[in-house]
Amino acid sequence: MKMKTQGKYGVTATAAAQVLCEDVRNFSTRRRNILYLMHRYLVENGYYSSAEALKTEGRLTEEYELCDNIDLDGMYLEYASFFNMKFGKYPKILKKMAPKIKVEMAAGKNQEKSVAPPKEILPPKKQTAEASLANWHLGVGAATAALNEQPLQIKKMETTAAADSMSGQENRACEIEHGHLGGDDALFSSLDWQSLAELVKTSILQENIKLRWSDVCGNQRAIELIKEAVLTPIEFPQLFAHGLKPWRSLLLHGPPGSGKTLLAKALYSETQGQVTFFNITASIMVSKWRGESEKILRVLFHMAAKRAPSVIFFDEIESLTSKRDRATDHESSKRFKNELLQLLDGMEHTLNGVFVLASTNLPWDIDEAFLRRFEKKLLVQLPNEAERSCLISRLLGSSISLNPRLLEQLVAISDQFTGDEIRLACKEISMHRVRCATKVGDHRSTGASSKESQAVMEANVEKAFRQVRPLGQKLLAKHEQWQQENGS
């Protein structure tokens, strides 16, 4: 009976699976695959001479290349996870060797020469056989006598310079991994850690932002806390010389558009040149490779500590710190959160000079363990009447003339508006004037038309403000209740 080869998922798939199974079980195929894996690992880690030697001795050709989704490090991690899941512990790959010893023969100072007894004359054939046997006994006897007479001296093998350098590199790599080595520009000797360090460096803000604390309308309580945490230790270090430590973490929450990110921008602008500012997003932290997100976190906090004073700003932190008891959470997400919890908790002792600033629109989605790590949790309030008046005058004062009556009316309309919603309404007014200026038509200059244009302008201004549907009004009550229960 002939086997059919057609079929989309039938015999063809079965035959392919059998071929793959045979490849796995075949010793020569398995050996070839391992050699290619080792070759790629050596190349990726900079061992180019060793990789070339392996390619020559292993007779690796250009006929084959490794698939993109396989590497030696990934196989190691998968095996460790499988071993842990099966036996409840991780495999022990290496073990320390016992100290090597060498045996030295202490040469006797007064060695007596042995006098050979007179030999008996034998026939030629018998003489030859007896001579070879006598020589063998003589050699064994001499060695036995030397061992019996001379004391043994057992010494540890001296460590060579190469072994010293290798041990130093291993200790250095260990210190890098645990974040205890200084000088982050020169400490990452491994290519993996260098690439992670370069990724983290891209989050350091270098932009020239012109923003001052006076440009922020309202939120004076948040500004005072940020100044106490960042600026006061720089300007008055003697105040914190006797055990007192500044605030090391602050969580800002409030409706979208209330000014949380604006406060972070103002902090960066006011401390530019004095403080290293890390702007962290989920795209930098989350990696598809197993265990790499935790490494990025460790590199981030290590670099922040070495470049202190520094600020780590997590925008929309609820995407990284959601509750851990959800059934949909992946194992990698749980490991990442546990690593972040450990780093935040250890800041007081190991990461001096690092301030963590975070913002969120959904504080009730953050895990309670992360909330405990934040020393201060503050609600960013909506602007009050005086602050709205100041903000509208600042945004519209250069484009239109605001009389007191119109300004008072706009302030009343913008009740429960966030600062960003007021900005959008004022931008709509400015864009309307741009549309009018770009229209091609008749331009009348009579007094009546001038009064009419003033009335139309005021109507358009009111219309622009009434078009805005405030989103913060829906969430403000929920944020206020959460602040009463969890805020500090």
Side-chain angles (χ1 to χ4, degrees), residues 4 14 18 28 93 108 188-189 239 259 319 326 334 384 401:
K4 297 181 180 180
T14 306
Q18 291 177 353
S28 59
I93 307 298
F188 297 104
S189 57
L239 299 177
S319 62
R326 299 186 304 178
K334 294 179 181 178
N384 56 30
S401 58

Side-chain angles (χ1 to χ4, degrees), residues 415-454:
D415 187 25
Q416 301 296 325
F417 277 25
T418 64
D420 193 59
E421 289 166 347
I422 294 175
R423 180 189 65 82
L424 290 176
C426 296
K427 186 175 182 179
E428 174 63 27
I429 296 169
S430 300
M431 292 304 296
H432 179 75
R433 291 179 61 83
V434 171
R435 297 187 201 108
C436 294
T438 54
K439 281 184 179 179
V440 179
D442 297 333
H443 299 280
R444 301 176 182 177
S445 59
T446 59
S449 62
S450 175
K451 291 181 181 179
E452 182 180 358
S453 62
Q454 180 68 21

Side-chain angles (χ1 to χ4, degrees), residues 365-379:
D365 287 347
I366 299 178
D367 191 83
E368 288 77 8
F370 286 101
L371 293 178
R372 189 192 68 79
R373 261 69 172 183
F374 286 99
E375 293 185 335
K376 304 295 290 185
K377 296 172 280 291
L378 189 64
L379 170 62

